[in-house]
Amino acid sequence: MAKQKNSTERYAVNKKLSKKEREAAARREQEEQQRRAENAQKSARMGSAFLYGFLALITVFFLYLLIRTLFFPSASVTELRSNLLFLSLAGIPYLVAAAAVVIRRLNRKRRIEYSDRGRRLATALYLIVLLGCFAVFGIQMGSGRQDGADSPVYTAVREALGQSGLTVTEPEEVPAFRSMLEYSLETELGCGQSKLLLNYHSAGTGMIPARFLVQAAHDYRDCPLTEEDGLRIWGPKETDGSARAALALRQGRQVWVLELQGPRAELEQLIPLLKHTIPGE
């Protein structure tokens, strides 16, 4: 009887201890789950902060590039063209998409008060803007590049150089690009011992041609300037055994910039031939 009583007591004690252990284990599991959830939330917040910080840096970069390109001189006409092309391809679509994300985030609390239809319309508009930005980027990348070898602008310059009697060296290809902001053509030709860099731009707004005219004036500000019926001619001016000159003409929303470098005698021969060349599409 005594043995049976002791066994019963030990069983009751073990059962009581097992219950406490199970409760303690359950508490530990609950605490562990809560800790994991908190860590996951912290990781998600840190990931979101890093992502938004990274996107904010890209936004600041594109805004800086946009302001600098539109309102301050670049290093050269070629760099100005590259900056405008980069902004058209990636910068402006990204800034529009970023603005849509910011507006949606700021209106997050207000959207709760919208009706179901209002929320659906807001979401649809948001998605349309984002998809439109991706579409603009994709269309430009897919179909923007063009061959400018048959364009009237390039043909006119090539023929003008040919009238000099010097050997004209043409490039293997004449790359042109039609972007959201403008149509641009840039290529280099050789004529005798001289080089000619042709830049032609046609935009939907007069601001872009004006920027190229200002840029040319900035690049050749140390050269003597003459003007004939809107055509600006800088140089030629000798520098380190070579001469440099430039011609720039703006007609409405088109601008034509020719940069020359070579022997002064050749440049003086080429400038009269080139200044009668009229740009056009």
Side-chain angles (χ1 to χ4, degrees):
M1 293 293 294
K3 290 182 178 181
Q4 185 177 1
K5 183 178 180 181
N6 290 336
S7 297
T8 303
E9 290 176 352
R10 283 197 299 272
Y11 176 76
V13 170
N14 291 336
K15 187 175 181 181
K16 186 176 182 179
L17 290 174
S18 297
K19 183 178 180 181
K20 289 183 178 180
E21 289 175 353
R22 287 196 300 272
E23 291 176 350
R27 283 196 300 272
R28 286 196 298 270
E29 180 64 23
Q30 185 177 3
E31 291 172 357
E32 183 63 26
Q33 290 179 356
Q34 185 176 358
R35 188 160 48 248
R36 286 197 295 266
E38 290 175 354
N39 289 337
Q41 290 177 355
K42 289 180 182 178
S43 298
R45 285 196 296 268
M46 290 180 63
S48 296
F50 176 79
L51 176 61
Y52 281 112
F54 179 70
L55 295 177
L57 286 176
I58 298 177
T59 302
V60 170
F61 167 73
F62 278 131
L63 285 173
Y64 163 76
L65 184 62
L66 178 65
I67 293 171
R68 180 176 168 230
T69 301
L70 294 181
F71 300 103
F72 297 95
S74 300
S76 64
V77 171
T78 296
E79 183 181 278
L80 176 59
R81 177 181 184 265
S82 298
N83 289 344
L84 283 170
L85 185 58
F86 185 50
L87 284 170
S88 183
L89 285 173
I92 293 177
Y94 176 85
L95 289 175
V96 173
V101 171
V102 170
I103 292 172
R104 181 174 176 81
R105 191 170 181 82
L106 292 176
N107 287 339
R108 181 174 51 185
K109 293 182 179 179
R110 292 182 58 186
R111 285 201 308 274
I112 299 176
E113 302 174 359
Y114 292 173
S115 63
D116 291 341
R117 182 182 180 186
R119 282 194 292 270
R120 287 195 298 270
L121 288 175
T123 301
L125 181 60
Y126 172 70
L127 294 176
I128 288 172
V129 171
L130 292 185
L131 291 175
C133 293
F134 282 112
V136 168
F137 171 78
I139 291 171
Q140 290 183 104
M141 288 295 293
S143 61
R145 187 176 177 84
Q146 299 181 2
D147 182 11
D150 295 327
S151 68
V153 174
Y154 176 76
T155 302
V157 171
R158 183 188 60 203
E159 291 177 352
L161 294 178
Q163 294 174 13
S164 67
L166 300 171
T167 301
V168 178
T169 305
E170 297 188 56
E172 293 182 0
E173 60 176 348
V174 183
F177 204 96
R178 187 172 296 280
S179 68
M180 177 177 61
L181 293 178
E182 60 159 355
Y183 169 85
S184 65
L185 183 152
E186 181 181 83
T187 193
E188 185 176 274
L189 299 93
C191 186
Q193 300 179 52
S194 302
K195 292 181 179 180
L196 182 148
L197 181 64
L198 164 64
N199 256 282
Y200 170 72
H201 301 266
S202 176
T205 172
M207 185 176 186
I208 291 177
R211 287 301 307 146
F212 280 97
L213 201 61
V214 171
Q215 183 65 46
H218 178 268
D219 293 347
Y220 293 88
R221 60 190 181 278
D222 59 335
C223 297
L225 171 65
T226 57
E227 289 193 53
E228 301 179 13
D229 298 327
L231 173 66
R232 298 185 183 186
I233 303 173
W234 292 273
K237 180 180 179 181
E238 292 190 17
T239 305
D240 298 329
S242 179
R244 58 197 294 260
L247 299 86
L249 174 66
R250 178 185 174 187
Q251 294 181 339
R253 295 176 180 177
Q254 302 175 78
V255 66
W256 187 42
V257 180
L258 293 177
E259 299 180 78
L260 294 160
Q261 185 170 5
R264 184 185 182 96
E266 285 190 358
L267 300 194
E268 290 178 344
Q269 180 184 358
L270 295 176
I271 289 174
L273 298 174
L274 293 169
K275 71 180 184 180
H276 297 296
T277 303
I278 300 174
E281 285 199 271

